[in-house]
Amino acid sequence: MTVNVSTRTADGVTVARVEGEITSTTAPGVQDRLLPLVGGSGRLLIDFSAVPYVSSAGLRMLLILYRRAEQAQTGVVLGGLSEEVRFVMSATGFLGFFEIADDLGSEMGSVRP
Amino acid sequence: MTAERIDDFPTRQIAGYRVRRGRPFPHGATLVPGGVNFSVFSDGATAMTLVLFERGAAEPMQELPFPPGYRIGSVFTMTVFGLDLESLEYGFRADGPFDPVRGDRFDRNAILADPHALLLSGRDTWGVPPDWSRPYQYRSMIALEDFDWQDDAPLRTPTEDLVIYETHVRGFTRHPSSGVPAPGTYAGLRAKIPYLRELGINCVELMPIFEFDEFDNGRVNPGTGERLHNYWGYNTIGFFAPKAGYAATGAYGMQADEFKALVKDLHKAGIEVLLDVVFNHTAEGNEHGPTISFKGLDNATYYMLTPEGYYYNFSGTGNTVNCNHPVVRDFVLTCLRHWVAEYHVDGFRFDLAAILDRGPDGTPLPNPPLLEQLAYDPILRHTKLIAEAWDAGGLYQVGHFPNYGRWSEWNGKYRDVLRRFLKGDEGTVGELAARVAGSPDLYGGRGPAASVNFITAHDGFTLNDLVSYNDKHNEANGEGNADGANDNNSWNCGVEGPTSDPEVNALRLRQMKNALAILLVSQGVPMLLAGDEAGRTQLGNNNTYCQDNELSWFDWTLVDTSAELLRFARQMIGFRHAHPILREARHPLGVDFSGVGLPDVSWHGVRPWEPDWSPGSRLLAMMRCGRNAAGTKDHVYVAMNSHWEGHDLELPELSGGVWRIFADTGAAAPYDIHEPGTEPMPGHPRRHHIAPRSVVILTGSDD
């Protein structure tokens, strides 16, 4: 199982679009792709519109990424969360740690090609 | 310096898996670099096999025998590398003799759950009927134990300051009226924290949340034909695993995180969490019960057995855990430490705790090592330990449970005499005085915090039913109304069950207020049954262990329809928090420590300083002198009248001060209870009429 991560940057905002389920199998690969995006100035927007499921290990990967970003003073925003993913993050208390973009379109406006 | 260790590498392959000899501690499955360390104890096993499943698959994907050298003492241990933690389920296959008379019941056809499993799968979503054809119902899983607790720390609320609220995770929000996003779950309960804060309680006691099987009840409701459940869950399968079916995310295996998020938010709201734990028996039953874990690993160690190899049944459920066996003591201690260290819970209520002081042959021990060990354990040191100080084998230890200065008890005698007084029985006033003063006759030397005072609990009638039924009505349980307690000390106020008679309903409401009022001014630790603050009914069923339906669920429309009772309960809880004299850590002695001329407690009748202790007396007034506690100076006067007639009370004189009426259950709402600062004075400064079957609470200052 592979998860695709594609990135593009404009005006100091990096958008990382993740496609696929984030589980214990795929999380390390996703983390390897996302971590290098932390540390640059500005913001990192992770687009989850194509992520149907995030497992327990996936949520932990996100939280570790978020902690790294805090240290590097990179703002991380999660966008495009499905109802299901948002519900699981809410029930387990993970949601409260993240900045969530309800309206992905407006967040991404500045980085449209 | 490299972070790697030289023993991070496998030494051989078994069945295609890279392994090495493991570490015996800790028992269970533990994450180590690159792999998982498995460790399991069995004294009598001749061979042990680790069985691995792909999550959800019917048949194992692989079985790995522990090589002979992977055994240290009676512990089998192996580290397996390269496992996928999230999709792995595991169990053990133990080989050994089947010789019940000697206590051995090994069965190499059974795949056993790990006694230390951090998660169990198989009942991931509540109420989804299991596939009984699967050979192995409950599978052990590995948990990711990291959780960001941030700065969560134990609240360490002094025990005497607690107001405990006993509830059931599912029942609290399962009713369609709860209005929460995930009804019947840890997340649902978390969404109701604002309600708990507004109510004013500062401690929740959760009925069992260790993994159990809600489908282990084979009975049906004779009225409806519906299958009954094991709804309460006093039948543990996994002592280290939070129940998945109580988690909205149980299907994803995230119950541990969801439960931790609940505990963390309760702590943020100033609310402690106690777990109701069941160490007296397990779900394996007697010789006819299933082999799930302990029975197949080391039957003779974990259970109390008769000389013929049958199961002692002090629990009333088939088997009895051999709690004072040294190995089992370790198991219990490790389990409780796990819940404190890993889940940040604040204490425990021990179901049928008298069993915990029985020796291996069932004899009560004078100095039971398990209880002593729990009392002094460094991790458990500041947690609350509360005993249900009796068992089903006839051992009743209320007032003399081995306590080591640490243990509190459910005060069953408080419940019994309060109920008898409330219904108007003769000969109760003398004992009532002892109970509302913190039961110094039972807990002298231990202090009032040893007494958990309650009138209702999950076992028995709800408060509404206590004043609405003379007899239990348990037909829906499918046992011909033979189950449940018969000595309820209840009174239906004239009509059995619901009625449209306004006088009966008014009396019931007053009786519920009377109960709450007395409970919340009593010294000791008050415990409320969830829903009683809003008049929850079980239609006279006093044993709803099997009723996963509206009989048990909290109907949240009661918050509106019982607004008067709820307001009364909130105000009473607030009153308790505002008056330290009611929460003193020592028993009152009837002595004037303050020098204001009033003893810390004094007793009165219709006339001040003249209590009537005669058998026919149904009126008693207690005065607590606030000068005897730090942080307050208000005196509290509580007149309790269970007589069917009213009385003109003459109030004790205050030097220069006045009495104000905080509560009078005989008065119509909203004059039944007053916001602090708005309490009116009695019409005559030293007189007040107490209505029939009423409680009056006055506050006074001597400024």
Side-chain angles (χ1 to χ4, degrees):
Chain A
M1 200 190 315
T2 56
V3 173
N4 190 37
V5 180
S6 54
T7 60
R8 59 208 155 91
T9 306
D11 301 335
V13 180
T14 302
V15 179
R17 179 176 164 83
V18 184
E19 292 172 75
E21 294 189 348
I22 309 180
T23 65
S24 58
T25 315
T26 61
V30 178
Q31 184 167 5
D32 287 347
R33 293 293 312 278
L34 293 179
L35 269 184
L37 307 177
V38 165
S41 58
R43 287 153 70 80
L44 170 61
L45 173 68
I46 308 178
D47 176 3
F48 272 75
S49 327
V51 177
Y53 173 65
V54 182
S55 79
S56 178
L59 291 176
R60 284 174 162 74
M61 182 277 289
L62 285 178
L63 195 52
I64 288 167
L65 180 80
Y66 201 73
R67 291 285 177 249
R68 293 278 181 87
E70 267 184 335
Q71 287 175 351
Q73 297 187 314
T74 304
V76 172
V77 183
L78 306 186
L81 297 175
S82 71
E83 278 296 305
E84 187 68 12
V85 170
R86 180 187 279 262
F87 173 76
V88 168
M89 291 183 72
S90 168
T92 51
F94 278 91
L95 196 64
F97 288 114
F98 296 97
E99 187 182 339
I100 306 293
D102 288 321
D103 182 359
L104 195 59
S106 71
E107 288 281 338
M108 292 172 66
S110 58
V111 290
R112 283 243 163 74
Chain B
M1 173 90 193
T2 171
E4 284 188 328
R5 292 168 51 105
I6 55 174
D7 56 0
D8 281 353
F9 302 92
T11 55
R12 62 190 285 184
Q13 287 214 352
I14 298 179
Y17 286 83
R18 293 172 292 130
V19 306
R20 69 177 293 127
R21 192 166 93 146
R23 295 159 180 274
F25 282 113
H27 292 333
T30 310
L31 296 185
V32 295
V36 179
N37 186 72
F38 296 91
S39 164
V40 62
F41 158 81
S42 174
D43 217 16
T46 52
M48 186 73 70
T49 304
L50 172 66
V51 184
L52 304 178
F53 291 86
E54 175 79 22
R55 184 159 196 201
E59 295 300 323
M61 60 180 177
Q62 201 49 268
E63 304 209 10
L64 285 62
F66 287 80
Y70 286 24
R71 182 174 178 170
I72 299 168
S74 291
V75 178
F76 297 81
T77 176
M78 173 160 56
T79 300
V80 183
F81 293 85
L83 297 171
D84 176 33
L85 307 180
E86 286 188 332
S87 63
L88 180 75
E89 297 174 331
Y90 73 96
F92 298 109
R93 200 188 283 286
D95 209 352
F98 184 84
D99 187 353
V101 176
R102 300 190 56 154
D104 290 327
R105 291 179 180 270
F106 288 96
D107 174 7
R108 80 165 324 279
N109 293 316
I111 304 175
L112 307 167
D114 181 356
H116 291 82
L118 299 175
L119 301 176
L120 283 170
S121 69
R123 298 294 179 270
D124 302 354
T125 305
W126 179 281
V128 173
D131 175 1
W132 290 107
S133 70
R134 278 162 52 118
Y136 178 38
Q137 292 286 317
Y138 318 109
R139 302 183 181 183
S140 311
M141 291 190 70
I142 293 155
L144 299 172
E145 296 210 279
D146 54 338
F147 179 82
D148 194 345
W149 284 99
Q150 294 174 297
D151 53 1
D152 182 74
L155 296 177
R156 288 177 64 168
T157 308
T159 304
E160 59 270 18
D161 290 345
L162 294 180
V163 178
I164 301 175
Y165 188 75
E166 189 199 30
T167 192
H168 183 280
V169 170
R170 180 170 169 80
F172 195 57
T173 63
R174 176 58 188 82
H175 196 278
S177 62
S178 72
V180 300
T185 66
Y186 304 123
L189 177 51
R190 184 161 145 247
K192 285 292 188 188
I193 289 174
Y195 172 83
L196 298 174
R197 285 197 66 152
E198 201 179 344
L199 181 59
I201 59 97
N202 57 12
C203 177
V204 291
E205 180 172 310
L206 303 178
M207 289 167 67
I209 60 113
F210 294 0
E211 189 61 66
F212 64 92
D213 183 356
E214 67 271 22
F215 284 97
D216 70 8
N217 185 343
R219 290 197 170 83
V220 296
N221 180 336
T224 64
E226 284 169 337
R227 184 188 174 118
L228 296 171
H229 289 85
N230 183 341
Y231 167 75
W232 282 355
Y234 290 85
N235 218 19
T236 310
I237 290 169
F239 288 83
F240 287 69
K243 176 143 187 67
Y246 283 167
T249 58
Y252 302 126
M254 293 196 221
Q255 55 269 33
D257 287 324
E258 189 175 322
F259 184 63
K260 287 172 180 174
L262 168 64
V263 174
K264 184 177 165 185
D265 277 8
L266 282 166
H267 283 173
K268 272 187 200 161
I271 298 171
E272 293 202 342
V273 181
L274 307 184
L275 300 184
D276 189 342
V277 293
V278 190
F279 287 108
N280 59 78
H281 73 281
T282 75
E284 293 187 305
N286 59 16
E287 60 276 11
H288 304 299
T291 296
I292 297 169
S293 181
F294 306 99
K295 193 184 277 185
L297 280 171
D298 215 313
N299 189 57
T301 294
Y302 288 111
Y303 294 112
M304 292 186 196
L305 300 175
T306 68
E308 299 76 33
Y310 292 103
Y311 294 85
Y312 279 117
N313 185 16
F314 299 113
S315 67
T317 58
N319 66 46
T320 310
V321 172
N322 195 7
C323 288
N324 280 299
H325 185 289
V327 169
V328 185
R329 271 158 31 202
D330 259 7
F331 177 80
V332 173
L333 180 64
T334 306
C335 175
L336 295 174
R337 286 174 159 185
H338 167 71
W339 287 98
V340 171
E342 194 57 39
Y343 286 90
H344 291 202
V345 307
D346 302 282
F348 306 93
R349 175 268 188 189
F350 294 77
D351 185 61
L352 300 186
I355 282 178
L356 308 191
D357 62 41
R358 291 183 185 267
D361 65 352
T363 310
L365 303 173
N367 188 24
L370 173 61
L371 299 181
E372 183 183 41
Q373 199 162 2
L374 300 184
Y376 291 100
D377 183 71
I379 306 283
L380 306 182
R381 192 64 187 127
H382 297 286
T383 60
K384 279 76 179 176
L385 303 177
I386 301 170
E388 184 186 33
W390 53 84
D391 67 19
L395 196 54
Y396 188 82
Q397 299 184 307
V398 171
H400 53 92
F401 188 78
N403 61 83
Y404 308 96
R406 277 281 277 124
W407 285 78
S408 302
E409 298 172 7
W410 269 23
N411 188 345
K413 294 187 176 182
Y414 182 97
R415 174 196 59 204
D416 296 342
V417 81
L418 258 289
R419 288 178 172 203
R420 292 200 295 121
F421 173 78
L422 284 167
K423 72 198 270 272
D425 278 6
E426 286 198 334
T428 58
V429 164
E431 190 183 345
L432 175 72
R435 298 292 156 258
V436 298
S439 298
D441 56 331
L442 301 175
Y443 303 110
R446 292 166 66 181
S451 175
V452 175
N453 298 331
F454 66 106
I455 298 172
T456 53
H458 69 272
D459 257 328
F461 282 138
T462 65
L463 183 58
N464 177 82
D465 291 358
L466 185 70
V467 299
S468 306
Y469 294 90
N470 285 348
D471 300 299
K472 67 181 183 185
H473 297 271
N474 295 358
E475 289 78 6
N477 297 352
E479 296 183 55
N481 203 28
D483 62 310
N486 295 314
D487 51 345
N488 295 297
N489 294 308
S490 63
W491 177 49
N492 66 16
C493 296
V495 180
E496 187 77 350
T499 176
S500 56
D501 185 322
E503 281 188 30
V504 171
N505 284 329
L507 177 56
R508 286 176 178 171
L509 177 56
R510 196 156 81 241
Q511 288 283 69
M512 287 192 275
K513 289 179 185 174
N514 293 341
L516 292 171
I518 298 174
L519 177 65
L520 286 159
V521 296
S522 295
Q523 208 163 346
V525 182
M527 182 179 79
L528 299 160
L529 173 62
D532 278 357
E533 73 277 16
R536 185 172 75 85
T537 181
Q538 295 176 172
L539 299 179
N541 192 317
N542 75 352
N543 187 31
T544 57
Y545 75 100
C546 55
Q547 301 292 341
D548 176 33
N549 52 46
E550 300 204 352
L551 269 190
S552 301
W553 301 338
F554 188 170
D555 175 357
W556 287 85
T557 63
L558 289 169
V559 168
D560 295 323
T561 55
S562 297
E564 180 181 334
L565 181 63
L566 180 57
R567 168 178 173 266
F568 189 88
R570 283 178 182 148
Q571 294 274 5
M572 279 308 310
I573 293 169
F575 186 78
R576 181 174 189 82
H577 290 315
H579 290 275
I581 186 68
L582 305 175
R583 299 180 274 113
E584 274 284 87
R586 56 168 181 77
H587 282 109
L589 297 171
V591 171
D592 176 18
F593 293 99
S594 65
V596 297
L598 296 173
D600 52 1
V601 66
S602 54
W603 305 101
H604 311 268
V606 170
R607 295 176 177 281
W609 310 100
E610 294 179 24
D612 177 2
W613 302 115
S614 67
S617 169
R618 291 182 174 85
L619 185 144
L620 177 69
M622 167 179 72
M623 181 162 64
R624 304 301 308 271
C625 171
R627 293 278 184 185
N628 287 284
T632 182
K633 56 189 177 149
D634 286 352
H635 309 311
V636 175
Y637 170 91
V638 182
M640 300 164 278
N641 180 28
S642 66
H643 194 202
W644 47 88
E645 290 180 7
H647 294 278
D648 290 312
L649 297 173
E650 193 180 316
L651 306 176
E653 184 169 6
L654 296 172
S655 60
V658 294
W659 288 113
R660 291 181 178 275
I661 304 168
F662 167 66
D664 182 349
T665 65
Y671 306 108
D672 55 337
I673 200 158
H674 300 276
E675 293 281 344
T678 68
E679 303 96 330
M681 285 193 287
H684 182 290
R686 297 237 0 243
R687 290 189 192 287
H688 187 72
H689 179 78
I690 187 168
R693 298 190 187 274
S694 292
V695 172
V696 168
I697 302 174
L698 309 178
T699 61
S701 62
D702 46 22
D703 286 334

